[in-house]
Amino acid sequence: MHVRKGDLVKVMAGRDKGKEGHIILSIPKENRVVVEKVNLVKRHQRPSAANPDGGIITKEAPIHVSNVMKVCTSCKRTTRIAHKFLDSGKKVRTCKHCGATLD
Ligand SMILES: [Zn+2]
């Protein structure tokens, strides 16, 4: 997975192409991520304790990780990820364009 929970990503393909949002859930096993306000689906829900009236709710559905690209918070461009080792030996992700540290 080239992105992880909390990352700002841009959708590169599909119905929500062009939208940006943060990853709210990653599902590495399926190579899928859930991005806020992206791929919204309507769900019919029975009344429950949390939602006594039931009804229709909109909810994000997972999209494939290959359809999103990370957005660099420094240069604001969609970017591929490079890795760099800090002097401390810690591995961090950096932007291929501007070199900013993304972790
Ligand atoms: Zn950058």
Side-chain angles (χ1 to χ4, degrees):
M1 299 278 278
H2 64 286
V3 289
R4 61 180 77 146
K5 191 174 171 181
D7 281 355
L8 180 65
V9 294
K10 184 167 185 169
V11 180
M12 307 308 287
R15 190 160 55 91
D16 287 319
K17 188 173 173 178
K19 277 195 192 176
E20 286 183 15
H22 289 93
I23 292 180
I24 51 182
L25 180 72
S26 84
I27 313 163
K29 210 168 60 177
E30 298 175 21
N31 283 315
R32 285 173 185 274
V33 291
V34 178
V35 183
E36 58 183 0
K37 303 278 187 289
V38 167
N39 203 23
L40 291 172
V41 292
K42 285 191 163 54
R43 289 263 167 77
H44 297 267
Q45 204 162 63
R46 285 164 189 273
S48 67
N51 184 9
D53 294 329
I56 301 169
I57 57 159
T58 50
K59 195 171 180 294
E60 289 93 348
I63 56 173
H64 200 263
V65 71
S66 65
N67 291 338
V68 303
M69 270 189 91
K70 183 158 173 60
V71 177
C72 174
T73 46
S74 181
C75 66
K76 313 289 181 206
R77 289 194 279 172
T78 53
T79 185
R80 292 177 58 210
I81 303 293
H83 291 99
K84 186 174 86 173
F85 288 94
L86 299 179
D87 291 341
S88 63
K90 189 172 179 274
K91 189 176 169 187
V92 294
R93 299 178 299 166
T94 62
C95 171
K96 282 252 192 210
H97 297 301
C98 69
T101 301
L102 302 175
D103 285 317

